[in-house]
Amino acid sequence: MQAPFVHPSSYVDEPSSIGEGTRIWHFCHIMPGARIGKRCVLGQGVFVASGVIVGDDVRIQNNVSLYEGTIVEDSVFLGPSCVLTNVTNPRAEIDRRGLYEKTLIRRGATIGANATILCGTTIGRHAFVGAGALVTRDVPDYALMTGVPARRTGSMSRHGQKLGRPGPDGIMVCPESGYRYRIEEGLVRCLDLPEDAPLPSGGRDLGKPYVRS
């Protein structure tokens, strides 16, 4: 068992839960009641509020704040300076503590640098929110979301490669892994691996560059 690492410049308030193998780098603040899973990496200047739940193998880049009401499932990537909120209509003169809205980021999703996720939304499994996008509504599994406000502009594979048009058999193939995908009942589904299953290697694979279409 590998104990969590916390840089001396960071504060972890008690009681909180930090999983084995997690690394918390410079100038972070973990509030009491936060739960962070195993083998996570928190970059410089990350804030995790009370009541926030972070799963295993999550990578949170510099200057990200997770406010109360946020749930981050396993293997999520949160890019530098992305923004999550927890009140739709904040006012300095109105106390809305206890009225925080839930934001759920599901397994394997990526939130790009400087993207903003409005509260009360769910980001689907393995969805990909592009840099600088503004998400105002729920995002389906594997969806590629770009723009302000964000619109779906394609689908992304488990390996973060854009899926092309379906072939005659309705199947889309990831150019990196060869995994097959198909649209079933309006949602993209992987035919070679269940949506909630980790990659077979059990660890971080050596990936390939983005294949531009």
Side-chain angles (χ1 to χ4, degrees), residues 70-93:
T70 302
I71 299 174
V72 180
E73 292 187 347
D74 296 348
S75 301
V76 165
F77 181 94
L78 301 178
S81 301
C82 69
V83 177
L84 292 91
T85 62
N86 64 359
V87 175
T88 298
N89 58 336
R91 290 291 198 189
E93 294 180 305

PDB file of all heavy atoms in Angstrom, residues 70-93:
ATOM      1  N   THR A  70     -20.332  18.531  -6.306  1.00  0.00           N
ATOM      2  CA  THR A  70     -19.646  17.923  -7.446  1.00  0.00           C
ATOM      3  C   THR A  70     -19.290  16.474  -7.146  1.00  0.00           C
ATOM      4  O   THR A  70     -18.751  16.167  -6.078  1.00  0.00           O
ATOM      5  CB  THR A  70     -18.355  18.692  -7.781  1.00  0.00           C
ATOM      6  OG1 THR A  70     -18.683  20.068  -8.062  1.00  0.00           O
ATOM      7  CG2 THR A  70     -17.656  18.082  -8.983  1.00  0.00           C
ATOM      8  N   ILE A  71     -19.581  15.594  -8.098  1.00  0.00           N
ATOM      9  CA  ILE A  71     -19.181  14.191  -8.022  1.00  0.00           C
ATOM     10  C   ILE A  71     -18.386  13.868  -9.282  1.00  0.00           C
ATOM     11  O   ILE A  71     -18.864  14.082 -10.404  1.00  0.00           O
ATOM     12  CB  ILE A  71     -20.395  13.256  -7.911  1.00  0.00           C
ATOM     13  CG1 ILE A  71     -21.193  13.567  -6.646  1.00  0.00           C
ATOM     14  CG2 ILE A  71     -19.954  11.790  -7.933  1.00  0.00           C
ATOM     15  CD1 ILE A  71     -22.490  12.775  -6.537  1.00  0.00           C
ATOM     16  N   VAL A  72     -17.174  13.373  -9.097  1.00  0.00           N
ATOM     17  CA  VAL A  72     -16.293  13.020 -10.211  1.00  0.00           C
ATOM     18  C   VAL A  72     -16.025  11.522 -10.131  1.00  0.00           C
ATOM     19  O   VAL A  72     -15.471  11.040  -9.143  1.00  0.00           O
ATOM     20  CB  VAL A  72     -14.963  13.807 -10.128  1.00  0.00           C
ATOM     21  CG1 VAL A  72     -14.046  13.428 -11.279  1.00  0.00           C
ATOM     22  CG2 VAL A  72     -15.232  15.312 -10.132  1.00  0.00           C
ATOM     23  N   GLU A  73     -16.439  10.778 -11.152  1.00  0.00           N
ATOM     24  CA  GLU A  73     -16.240   9.333 -11.137  1.00  0.00           C
ATOM     25  C   GLU A  73     -14.807   8.975 -11.530  1.00  0.00           C
ATOM     26  O   GLU A  73     -13.965   9.849 -11.765  1.00  0.00           O
ATOM     27  CB  GLU A  73     -17.265   8.664 -12.057  1.00  0.00           C
ATOM     28  CG  GLU A  73     -18.691   8.780 -11.538  1.00  0.00           C
ATOM     29  CD  GLU A  73     -19.698   7.993 -12.343  1.00  0.00           C
ATOM     30  OE1 GLU A  73     -19.356   7.536 -13.466  1.00  0.00           O
ATOM     31  OE2 GLU A  73     -20.836   7.825 -11.860  1.00  0.00           O
ATOM     32  N   ASP A  74     -14.534   7.672 -11.627  1.00  0.00           N
ATOM     33  CA  ASP A  74     -13.181   7.180 -11.887  1.00  0.00           C
ATOM     34  C   ASP A  74     -12.649   7.637 -13.248  1.00  0.00           C
ATOM     35  O   ASP A  74     -13.398   7.791 -14.212  1.00  0.00           O
ATOM     36  CB  ASP A  74     -13.156   5.655 -11.866  1.00  0.00           C
ATOM     37  CG  ASP A  74     -13.497   5.067 -10.508  1.00  0.00           C
ATOM     38  OD1 ASP A  74     -13.537   5.815  -9.515  1.00  0.00           O
ATOM     39  OD2 ASP A  74     -13.728   3.835 -10.449  1.00  0.00           O
ATOM     40  N   SER A  75     -11.328   7.809 -13.300  1.00  0.00           N
ATOM     41  CA  SER A  75     -10.579   8.006 -14.556  1.00  0.00           C
ATOM     42  C   SER A  75     -11.014   9.242 -15.338  1.00  0.00           C
ATOM     43  O   SER A  75     -10.930   9.272 -16.563  1.00  0.00           O
ATOM     44  CB  SER A  75     -10.683   6.755 -15.439  1.00  0.00           C
ATOM     45  OG  SER A  75     -10.164   5.623 -14.761  1.00  0.00           O
ATOM     46  N   VAL A  76     -11.457  10.264 -14.635  1.00  0.00           N
ATOM     47  CA  VAL A  76     -11.815  11.535 -15.262  1.00  0.00           C
ATOM     48  C   VAL A  76     -10.565  12.408 -15.375  1.00  0.00           C
ATOM     49  O   VAL A  76      -9.686  12.387 -14.512  1.00  0.00           O
ATOM     50  CB  VAL A  76     -12.914  12.248 -14.454  1.00  0.00           C
ATOM     51  CG1 VAL A  76     -13.056  13.720 -14.851  1.00  0.00           C
ATOM     52  CG2 VAL A  76     -14.239  11.518 -14.605  1.00  0.00           C
ATOM     53  N   PHE A  77     -10.497  13.200 -16.453  1.00  0.00           N
ATOM     54  CA  PHE A  77      -9.424  14.184 -16.649  1.00  0.00           C
ATOM     55  C   PHE A  77     -10.044  15.572 -16.627  1.00  0.00           C
ATOM     56  O   PHE A  77     -10.935  15.884 -17.435  1.00  0.00           O
ATOM     57  CB  PHE A  77      -8.720  13.955 -17.988  1.00  0.00           C
ATOM     58  CG  PHE A  77      -7.587  14.916 -18.254  1.00  0.00           C
ATOM     59  CD1 PHE A  77      -6.287  14.586 -17.920  1.00  0.00           C
ATOM     60  CD2 PHE A  77      -7.819  16.150 -18.832  1.00  0.00           C
ATOM     61  CE1 PHE A  77      -5.241  15.469 -18.156  1.00  0.00           C
ATOM     62  CE2 PHE A  77      -6.785  17.041 -19.078  1.00  0.00           C
ATOM     63  CZ  PHE A  77      -5.489  16.692 -18.739  1.00  0.00           C
ATOM     64  N   LEU A  78      -9.580  16.420 -15.705  1.00  0.00           N
ATOM     65  CA  LEU A  78     -10.027  17.806 -15.607  1.00  0.00           C
ATOM     66  C   LEU A  78      -8.869  18.703 -16.016  1.00  0.00           C
ATOM     67  O   LEU A  78      -7.855  18.785 -15.318  1.00  0.00           O
ATOM     68  CB  LEU A  78     -10.494  18.128 -14.186  1.00  0.00           C
ATOM     69  CG  LEU A  78     -11.655  17.275 -13.652  1.00  0.00           C
ATOM     70  CD1 LEU A  78     -11.980  17.657 -12.220  1.00  0.00           C
ATOM     71  CD2 LEU A  78     -12.889  17.433 -14.533  1.00  0.00           C
ATOM     72  N   GLY A  79      -9.005  19.373 -17.157  1.00  0.00           N
ATOM     73  CA  GLY A  79      -7.927  20.166 -17.720  1.00  0.00           C
ATOM     74  C   GLY A  79      -7.651  21.443 -16.946  1.00  0.00           C
ATOM     75  O   GLY A  79      -8.450  21.883 -16.106  1.00  0.00           O
ATOM     76  N   PRO A  80      -6.512  22.094 -17.228  1.00  0.00           N
ATOM     77  CA  PRO A  80      -6.102  23.285 -16.490  1.00  0.00           C
ATOM     78  C   PRO A  80      -7.160  24.385 -16.512  1.00  0.00           C
ATOM     79  O   PRO A  80      -7.711  24.717 -17.561  1.00  0.00           O
ATOM     80  CB  PRO A  80      -4.836  23.738 -17.225  1.00  0.00           C
ATOM     81  CG  PRO A  80      -4.324  22.517 -17.909  1.00  0.00           C
ATOM     82  CD  PRO A  80      -5.531  21.713 -18.263  1.00  0.00           C
ATOM     83  N   SER A  81      -7.452  24.904 -15.316  1.00  0.00           N
ATOM     84  CA  SER A  81      -8.332  26.076 -15.149  1.00  0.00           C
ATOM     85  C   SER A  81      -9.746  25.850 -15.656  1.00  0.00           C
ATOM     86  O   SER A  81     -10.462  26.826 -15.927  1.00  0.00           O
ATOM     87  CB  SER A  81      -7.717  27.314 -15.829  1.00  0.00           C
ATOM     88  OG  SER A  81      -6.450  27.611 -15.272  1.00  0.00           O
ATOM     89  N   CYS A  82     -10.187  24.589 -15.799  1.00  0.00           N
ATOM     90  CA  CYS A  82     -11.605  24.389 -16.108  1.00  0.00           C
ATOM     91  C   CYS A  82     -12.437  24.800 -14.896  1.00  0.00           C
ATOM     92  O   CYS A  82     -11.954  24.821 -13.761  1.00  0.00           O
ATOM     93  CB  CYS A  82     -11.888  22.954 -16.550  1.00  0.00           C
ATOM     94  SG  CYS A  82     -11.740  21.700 -15.272  1.00  0.00           S
ATOM     95  N   VAL A  83     -13.701  25.149 -15.141  1.00  0.00           N
ATOM     96  CA  VAL A  83     -14.540  25.764 -14.111  1.00  0.00           C
ATOM     97  C   VAL A  83     -15.805  24.933 -13.912  1.00  0.00           C
ATOM     98  O   VAL A  83     -16.492  24.591 -14.875  1.00  0.00           O
ATOM     99  CB  VAL A  83     -14.934  27.197 -14.513  1.00  0.00           C
ATOM    100  CG1 VAL A  83     -15.875  27.810 -13.481  1.00  0.00           C
ATOM    101  CG2 VAL A  83     -13.685  28.059 -14.677  1.00  0.00           C
ATOM    102  N   LEU A  84     -16.094  24.611 -12.640  1.00  0.00           N
ATOM    103  CA  LEU A  84     -17.355  23.976 -12.277  1.00  0.00           C
ATOM    104  C   LEU A  84     -18.050  24.856 -11.251  1.00  0.00           C
ATOM    105  O   LEU A  84     -17.395  25.454 -10.384  1.00  0.00           O
ATOM    106  CB  LEU A  84     -17.117  22.579 -11.706  1.00  0.00           C
ATOM    107  CG  LEU A  84     -16.588  21.558 -12.720  1.00  0.00           C
ATOM    108  CD1 LEU A  84     -15.070  21.533 -12.737  1.00  0.00           C
ATOM    109  CD2 LEU A  84     -17.127  20.178 -12.412  1.00  0.00           C
ATOM    110  N   THR A  85     -19.362  24.944 -11.339  1.00  0.00           N
ATOM    111  CA  THR A  85     -20.126  25.816 -10.453  1.00  0.00           C
ATOM    112  C   THR A  85     -21.123  24.974  -9.652  1.00  0.00           C
ATOM    113  O   THR A  85     -21.304  23.793  -9.915  1.00  0.00           O
ATOM    114  CB  THR A  85     -20.875  26.886 -11.258  1.00  0.00           C
ATOM    115  OG1 THR A  85     -21.815  26.245 -12.136  1.00  0.00           O
ATOM    116  CG2 THR A  85     -19.916  27.711 -12.107  1.00  0.00           C
ATOM    117  N   ASN A  86     -21.786  25.602  -8.665  1.00  0.00           N
ATOM    118  CA  ASN A  86     -22.795  24.845  -7.911  1.00  0.00           C
ATOM    119  C   ASN A  86     -24.062  25.622  -7.601  1.00  0.00           C
ATOM    120  O   ASN A  86     -24.941  25.107  -6.907  1.00  0.00           O
ATOM    121  CB  ASN A  86     -22.195  24.255  -6.629  1.00  0.00           C
ATOM    122  CG  ASN A  86     -21.728  25.303  -5.639  1.00  0.00           C
ATOM    123  OD1 ASN A  86     -21.828  26.511  -5.889  1.00  0.00           O
ATOM    124  ND2 ASN A  86     -21.218  24.851  -4.502  1.00  0.00           N
ATOM    125  N   VAL A  87     -24.173  26.848  -8.112  1.00  0.00           N
ATOM    126  CA  VAL A  87     -25.411  27.631  -7.965  1.00  0.00           C
ATOM    127  C   VAL A  87     -25.700  28.296  -9.307  1.00  0.00           C
ATOM    128  O   VAL A  87     -24.831  28.974  -9.871  1.00  0.00           O
ATOM    129  CB  VAL A  87     -25.284  28.695  -6.856  1.00  0.00           C
ATOM    130  CG1 VAL A  87     -26.537  29.568  -6.815  1.00  0.00           C
ATOM    131  CG2 VAL A  87     -25.064  28.037  -5.496  1.00  0.00           C
ATOM    132  N   THR A  88     -26.928  28.142  -9.809  1.00  0.00           N
ATOM    133  CA  THR A  88     -27.286  28.717 -11.095  1.00  0.00           C
ATOM    134  C   THR A  88     -27.423  30.234 -11.033  1.00  0.00           C
ATOM    135  O   THR A  88     -27.036  30.943 -11.960  1.00  0.00           O
ATOM    136  CB  THR A  88     -28.605  28.104 -11.607  1.00  0.00           C
ATOM    137  OG1 THR A  88     -28.409  26.695 -11.785  1.00  0.00           O
ATOM    138  CG2 THR A  88     -29.029  28.710 -12.928  1.00  0.00           C
ATOM    139  N   ASN A  89     -27.988  30.729  -9.933  1.00  0.00           N
ATOM    140  CA  ASN A  89     -28.295  32.165  -9.841  1.00  0.00           C
ATOM    141  C   ASN A  89     -27.670  32.796  -8.604  1.00  0.00           C
ATOM    142  O   ASN A  89     -28.360  33.279  -7.714  1.00  0.00           O
ATOM    143  CB  ASN A  89     -29.816  32.377  -9.831  1.00  0.00           C
ATOM    144  CG  ASN A  89     -30.512  31.642  -8.685  1.00  0.00           C
ATOM    145  OD1 ASN A  89     -29.989  30.657  -8.162  1.00  0.00           O
ATOM    146  ND2 ASN A  89     -31.676  32.123  -8.289  1.00  0.00           N
ATOM    147  N   PRO A  90     -26.352  32.833  -8.504  1.00  0.00           N
ATOM    148  CA  PRO A  90     -25.710  33.374  -7.304  1.00  0.00           C
ATOM    149  C   PRO A  90     -25.907  34.885  -7.169  1.00  0.00           C
ATOM    150  O   PRO A  90     -25.882  35.622  -8.150  1.00  0.00           O
ATOM    151  CB  PRO A  90     -24.230  33.026  -7.511  1.00  0.00           C
ATOM    152  CG  PRO A  90     -24.068  32.951  -9.001  1.00  0.00           C
ATOM    153  CD  PRO A  90     -25.362  32.391  -9.514  1.00  0.00           C
ATOM    154  N   ARG A  91     -26.090  35.318  -5.942  1.00  0.00           N
ATOM    155  CA  ARG A  91     -26.119  36.737  -5.579  1.00  0.00           C
ATOM    156  C   ARG A  91     -25.365  36.905  -4.270  1.00  0.00           C
ATOM    157  O   ARG A  91     -25.557  36.119  -3.335  1.00  0.00           O
ATOM    158  CB  ARG A  91     -27.562  37.242  -5.394  1.00  0.00           C
ATOM    159  CG  ARG A  91     -28.377  37.354  -6.665  1.00  0.00           C
ATOM    160  CD  ARG A  91     -27.877  38.453  -7.565  1.00  0.00           C
ATOM    161  NE  ARG A  91     -28.889  38.826  -8.553  1.00  0.00           N
ATOM    162  CZ  ARG A  91     -28.662  39.629  -9.572  1.00  0.00           C
ATOM    163  NH1 ARG A  91     -27.444  40.148  -9.737  1.00  0.00           N
ATOM    164  NH2 ARG A  91     -29.610  39.933 -10.421  1.00  0.00           N
ATOM    165  N   ALA A  92     -24.532  37.919  -4.186  1.00  0.00           N
ATOM    166  CA  ALA A  92     -23.761  38.140  -2.967  1.00  0.00           C
ATOM    167  C   ALA A  92     -24.664  38.401  -1.762  1.00  0.00           C
ATOM    168  O   ALA A  92     -24.317  38.049  -0.628  1.00  0.00           O
ATOM    169  CB  ALA A  92     -22.792  39.306  -3.164  1.00  0.00           C
ATOM    170  N   GLU A  93     -25.848  39.003  -1.993  1.00  0.00           N
ATOM    171  CA  GLU A  93     -26.742  39.364  -0.893  1.00  0.00           C
ATOM    172  C   GLU A  93     -27.720  38.252  -0.525  1.00  0.00           C
ATOM    173  O   GLU A  93     -28.480  38.400   0.431  1.00  0.00           O
ATOM    174  CB  GLU A  93     -27.532  40.624  -1.251  1.00  0.00           C
ATOM    175  CG  GLU A  93     -26.663  41.859  -1.386  1.00  0.00           C
ATOM    176  CD  GLU A  93     -27.471  43.087  -1.738  1.00  0.00           C
ATOM    177  OE1 GLU A  93     -28.207  43.053  -2.748  1.00  0.00           O
ATOM    178  OE2 GLU A  93     -27.373  44.080  -1.001  1.00  0.00           O
TER     179      GLU A  93
END
